[in-house]
Amino acid sequence: MQEITLKAENIYDNYYTDVNVWVDLKGPAFSKRVYGFWDGDDVFKVRLVATKPGQWEWVSGSNQKDDSGLNQKRGQFTAVAWTEKEKLENPNRHGFVRATPNGHALQYADGSPYFMIGDTWLAGTTWRLPFRHAPTSDVYIPGPGIGFEDAIHYRKNQGYNSVSMIAAFPNWDTDINPSTYADENGVFVRNAWEKFGYDVGKGKGTDASGGLSYWGTFTAKNMRDEYGNLPFSMSEKHQGVSDFNYINPAYFQSLDKKMQYMSEQGFVPLLETVRRDVGPSWNAYYDFNETFARYVQYLISRYGAQNFIFSGIHLDWIPKEFSLTAEQFNEALTYHLNKYGPPPFGQLHTSLIDHSTYTTFGHDEEVPWLDMHSVGNKPRDHGFYGAMDTLFSLQPPYPAINFEPYYTGWNHEINKPGGETPPANSDRDNYFARAQMYGSVLSGGLAGHVHGTAAYDMTTTGEPAGARPHLWDALQYESGKQMQHLKDFVLSEGARYQQLQPYHQYLHPQKAKNSAVRGLDGWSFMMMNPERNFALLYFENKSELPRVSGLKKSTSYAFQWFNPRNGEWKEPETIRSDPKGNLSIPKFPDNSNPASTDWAAKILENR
């Protein structure tokens, strides 16, 4: 990444709103405008990168044509290709992540496969997971005092290559108000995560689990950076509301360190703008389309030279009081696209969603800024899979993923498959997470999977855990460690998984008798390539051993069981399809039928 610094010579009332800067960047097969960002005082920066080796040149410009400090500055540089050894040291050197040619999966710019193995650290941008500027260790065990570098390194050693984070939490602070409240005008200011143990005495009762609900008496979690900075100044007119015309660069300078560290460790984070609960006050007191688009562009300008996937809005729930509508967010993000264009280096744009981006926003021209679909949040059971199948069938095809599946260790009404709440980190708890991993991917989510870590709020040292576990405990749950086995399974034949298609209808039966949509037991999944010589399968607990149809006729196949709990492959068995292309699957490894636990498998044509 190259960083160009420009200093304004004129004086402006508001450098954030009054000035747009950019460089026009030209190089091999590249000619685009790259916007910069205000970094405090009179300083603007433009971050850029070369996408191919060769000669590159740039010239600066701005909307303030008479400012000689911002316009007609020039430079050039020579880009040299990474060596193969350097690419092994950091997979981000393979280039920016993009959709595969068939639209269903992800790859780096040079064609190397990228299969997301992510974790949910939504508040990881804040002081709650501090950047410590300190070394960590391969033998580090999570505990109180954990830092950002510790957590990244711990997950990296387990095969992770992404974490999901919300860039900023405007209006959230530990104050005299409840976590969810409306101002004197009846406009809801926030619907924040609770700071348990800090009761402000203004509650309305408890939820079904007996804990305080989002209308309860606890105040909100403080989501400042490590130095106490808020992302925006606070409004002088509207108490508790951010002033979205005055951004605070110091807050994002803290986030810079985390984004750069992840880049150096080979991570491709999901970076989200804000959580939907800030929408009502933002829309009530500001020109929402203009100010939201400016903030979106600030993030893209600040982090657009790094490998990440962008989420325009964290839309995990769309309540009337605590969110704007999907249509309003779609309008604002479309406004941004029309004004600034897509990210210049081609990062994918998606949204963490309530159920499905397709059912919420639409597809293609209906939502022009979105080029990667997702499912998530609810229902955290078999109800996801029909939505994922639908996403796979859309034309033109987009990559799809489950960004918010089952959360291990979380006792919440939307996190109870079949009504169950197993003990945290129990076999059953970890099984639910594992079933969502394989079921989501083998229903068409070939972009990868994000693990639901219930400590997403980053409750830290000295705070009661409340409804969600401490991060250092949640990181050690077995389901998190088992994510690496999903990657090993899917990539066991290299990039061939990218050509797979859902083939559930060729499993007989696909659903065991009495298996429920609202549960996570008894279903089987299969994806197969069009040549019918490669398939991946997953069988939930209590699945009935199915017969497979739709294979090549009278053909020899190798069938191999895979244990998703420990990543071990069984010895392959040779089986043969009959003259109609049917195949009888060998017994489950534990000889039970229905299965007494979950299993995965691979079918390959023998050559």
Side-chain angles (χ1 to χ4, degrees), residues 551-557 575-582 605:
L551 295 167
K552 291 183 178 182
K553 300 175 181 178
S554 303
T555 300
S556 175
Y557 288 94
I575 51 179
R576 190 173 184 84
S577 61
D578 68 17
K580 293 183 178 180
N582 299 318
E605 181 182 0

Side-chain angles (χ1 to χ4, degrees), residues 15-67:
Y15 288 80
Y16 175 58
T17 60
D18 296 347
V19 183
N20 282 332
V21 301
W22 59 77
V23 301
D24 291 319
L25 178 65
K26 293 183 179 180
F30 190 100
S31 180
K32 293 184 181 180
R33 177 161 291 179
V34 182
Y35 284 94
F37 59 93
W38 177 54
D39 202 33
D41 297 325
D42 58 356
V43 175
F44 292 84
K45 293 181 178 179
V46 185
R47 292 172 176 168
L48 50 85
V49 69
T51 55
K52 290 186 177 182
Q55 293 300 120
W56 292 75
E57 59 184 24
W58 57 268
V59 58
S60 72
S62 78
N63 65 337
Q64 302 292 339
K65 301 303 181 185
D66 63 343
D67 194 319

Side-chain angles (χ1 to χ4, degrees), residues 181-236:
Y181 78 98
D183 67 10
E184 59 185 6
N185 298 318
V187 175
F188 272 87
V189 173
R190 67 189 183 207
N191 170 225
W193 302 321
E194 308 93 333
K195 186 175 177 68
F196 292 100
Y198 290 77
D199 195 324
V200 294
K202 297 180 181 179
K204 290 187 178 179
T206 60
D207 64 16
S209 67
L212 285 164
S213 72
Y214 42 78
W215 289 287
T217 64
F218 292 133
T219 188
K221 276 185 162 61
N222 169 350
M223 291 297 181
R224 297 172 180 245
D225 75 355
E226 290 89 335
Y227 303 99
N229 294 304
L230 293 169
F232 293 90
S233 298
M234 298 306 294
S235 171
E236 295 180 358

Side-chain angles (χ1 to χ4, degrees), residues 268-311:
V268 181
L270 174 74
L271 184 66
E272 305 199 85
T273 55
V274 289
R275 194 166 175 264
R276 43 85 195 155
D277 64 286
V278 74
S281 63
W282 199 327
N283 184 62
Y285 300 128
Y286 299 91
D287 179 344
F288 182 66
N289 284 356
E290 180 64 31
T291 56
F292 190 69
R294 185 185 299 121
Y295 170 63
V296 169
Q297 187 56 35
Y298 189 85
L299 292 178
I300 291 175
S301 299
R302 189 149 200 142
Y303 304 113
Q306 292 171 319
N307 226 348
F308 72 102
I309 292 172
F310 190 61
S311 171

Side-chain angles (χ1 to χ4, degrees), residues 383-444:
F384 271 142
Y385 303 137
M388 188 67 85
D389 283 334
T390 297
L391 294 181
F392 192 89
S393 301
L394 293 173
Q395 294 297 325
Y398 290 177
I401 194 170
N402 189 338
F403 276 134
E404 203 168 22
Y406 179 81
Y407 279 69
T408 41
W410 193 32
N411 182 0
H412 193 279
E413 60 183 6
I414 67 171
N415 201 59
K416 298 182 178 183
E420 286 188 58
T421 302
N425 200 29
S426 63
D427 288 346
R428 186 69 168 164
D429 192 34
N430 292 311
Y431 162 72
F432 282 157
R434 201 166 57 244
Q436 292 262 272
M437 295 174 203
Y438 289 81
S440 296
V441 172
L442 295 188
S443 290

